[in-house]
Amino acid sequence: MSKVLITGINGFIGKHLVDLLSENNAEIFGLDLSKTSTDITGKPRKVAKIYYVDVRDKKSVTKIIHAIKPAYLFHLAGLITRDNLNDLLDINVFDTKNILDTIIDSNIKVLIPGSAAEYGCVIKDKLPISEDIAPLPIDNYGLSKLAQTLLGYQYYQTYGCRIYLARVFNICGPEEPERLVCAKIAKQIIKIQKEKLEPTIYVGNFETKRDFTDVRDVVKAYWAIINKGETGEIYNICSGEARSVKEIVDILSRIVGAVFTIKQDKTLVKKVDIPISIGCNKKIKNKTGWTPLIPLEKTLEDLLVALNNNAIDGRY
């Protein structure tokens, strides 16, 4: 039984990674600040032990990793707000350095998931975005994730660490946090139907297009990369199809059998935005055999079910 350590284990992706690894008979350990570790049914997930520490606490992180001696480490802890660059660098880059300093003399396989935000605004002639595109992030979040990716690559080159790198496009699915677009729209729909409100959905820029992948497919990609990928290589995790925010609303409308009006909320419009982001997943498919299997319609249906369950249980 392989030991696995997951930082950010109680986050959106961490919870689903636990579910996948449990199916693969892994002994799972975690680091997190949050103490919420139940699935959408309210049942606790199968984890050997969770350490509630800040990943920026290098002394504690080092002690924990040396005690566990994991075969795999998935570094999912991080900050996704796009505002304060100092906070983003502190949490996304320097906490990663703490992890990497600890595993220099070990044989631990480490996966660092980056973001499509690293690529920035790619011209249409260069779409879909392959891993060969030069990253030019246009916001602070993308900048911090690029620095994180480059740090991982540095430790691979300089110290021979077993570092696996990914660039993940938009993730959606059950237990998605409300700050992400699909959950934000789905929760509005639930509220409208339960409280019989005016059928109006408020969004930011509803014409922007993004490449969405189900979180359950994403964690399978993580597992495929760390087992079948090459160290030091970057792999896009994406569906290869771009959908607009309006299309998300339309799909959710069909699922619930209702019609909604879409209105723009100017407070949700980003100052700097990317009109379209769509990834190429040929590299990960060719190297690992991974391919996204869950259609967006199924993802959004399951998201609605999960949000409804949470509403019934009073968990939001």
Side-chain angles (χ1 to χ4, degrees), residues 6 18 31 46 66 109 146 155 164 185 243 259 292 302 311:
I6 304 169
V18 167
L31 276 80
K46 297 178 181 179
H66 286 169
K109 302 174 80 170
L146 177 59
Y155 275 69
Y164 298 81
I185 295 169
R243 303 288 191 104
V259 177
D302 291 348

Side-chain angles (χ1 to χ4, degrees), residues 58 61-62 65-66 70 73 96-110 151-163:
K58 187 172 183 178
V61 168
T62 300
I65 292 176
H66 286 169
L73 195 160
T96 302
K97 186 177 186 300
N98 287 345
I99 295 287
L100 297 180
D101 284 343
T102 301
I103 60 94
I104 283 177
D105 296 322
S106 74
N107 200 36
I108 300 172
K109 302 174 80 170
V110 180
L151 184 68
Y153 185 78
Q154 179 191 18
Y155 275 69
Y156 155 71
Q157 282 285 9
T158 304
Y159 304 108
C161 296
R162 303 178 75 185
I163 307 296

